[in-house]
Amino acid sequence: MKFEANLKETVVLDPKNKTTRAIPSEIRKDPLTGRTARICHFMKLKWEKPDFEKMTAGTEKTCPFCPDKVLSITPYFAEDLIPEGRLISGDMVLFPNIAPYDSLGAVATFGSRHYIPMTEITPELIVKGFLLAFDFFKRVESLKHPESVYHIINWNYMPASGSSLIHPHLQVFSTSSAPNLMRQELEAAKKYYEANGTNFWDDLVKSEESENKRFLGRTGRTSWLSSYAPIGVAGDVLGVVDGVNSTLGLTKKDLSDIALGLTKAMTAYDRLGIYSFNMNFFTGAAGDDFTRFHILFSPRTFFNQALGTPDVGALRNLFNETLCMAFPEDIRDMLAPDFKP
Ligand SMILES: [Zn+2]
């Protein structure tokens, strides 16, 4: 496994005595896609958390996912897809996404509680939400729907992540159109398989475990890593499921293991003052033996909380060039205690 980095240095002069100071930065290459990520802007990964009571107060009044509104406001699916209109599991509800970005999109609420602090999100709650999404995927699959190719769950938690609502919920969709980064990964993993005769993700996990610089631990057959070339400004946590190529290949045990790993990442990042994240499924289509199902957890924050400055600027938004403000190896050390078995 090749982990390439281009080390750079910026020299600046002190305005008073003209002494020089060298500031390092690093441009890393993702070992699969070649996508570059800059390790720079070094700072202590520590943020002040806001007053959550003040932040969330009153937001339940207009919240469409709260129990007094969710069943009267949210739409039904077409009868040929979900004849009963919506999928329900206890107090969790899955309904069509009213702002669709693909033909088979759904939103699943995490139940009746309007605000769930990140550290109170339990593995059981996540599994219950995932299983509701899987009910949707299985319906789509049983209809042999042309969009039943990639089954994806995305999660934007709290506003810094791009969520417009406090009420926790999942984005759930089945699509034949792989999103950019997932498609690039699939193409690169296929090429890697053809060139090397091995699965990139299996090789990555093996290499990361033996190098032990970014390896976090395992839950069941899911291996957790601090990404070598992260997308998030505070690093990314990557979970790779051994032996599984696509979402529908995950067992209930896998979902519990994934959920457990996610809550470990949440607990660890909470200590740094992070309270928002993105999480995406990355899946192959059934039979894509060259890939492995993986999940990416990426903490989100503000560059300036008081001004509401997002952690995505021109470099990231228009060049898709990412910044990470600490070395992923140091981030691993910060997160590792939570991943101890
Ligand atoms: Zn609500």
Side-chain angles (χ1 to χ4, degrees), residues 59-69 111-115 165-168:
T59 55
E60 72 286 350
K61 286 190 197 112
T62 52
C63 174
F65 299 168
C66 268
D68 59 325
K69 294 177 221 74
S112 53
R113 196 169 162 199
H114 177 68
Y115 167 56
L165 294 168
I166 298 293
H167 203 123

Side-chain angles (χ1 to χ4, degrees), residues 3 201-202 204-228 237-240 328-329 331-337 339-341:
F3 293 107
W201 295 99
D202 296 351
L204 176 75
V205 168
K206 231 181 278 166
S207 163
E208 289 289 41
E209 188 170 17
S210 70
E211 263 201 53
N212 198 25
K213 288 184 198 158
R214 291 170 295 272
F215 191 79
L216 283 162
R218 272 205 183 87
T219 56
R221 55 175 172 169
T222 299
S223 300
W224 298 92
L225 315 169
S226 167
S227 296
Y228 174 75
V237 172
L238 172 67
V240 184
E329 296 70 29
I331 292 172
R332 190 284 298 264
D333 293 344
M334 286 179 232
L335 309 181
F339 281 85
K340 284 216 178 90

Side-chain angles (χ1 to χ4, degrees), residues 80-99:
D80 54 353
L81 187 64
I82 312 278
E84 65 271 49
R86 304 184 186 107
L87 298 177
I88 292 177
S89 165
D91 62 348
M92 293 184 176
V93 188
L94 183 145
F95 46 85
N97 191 340
I98 198 85

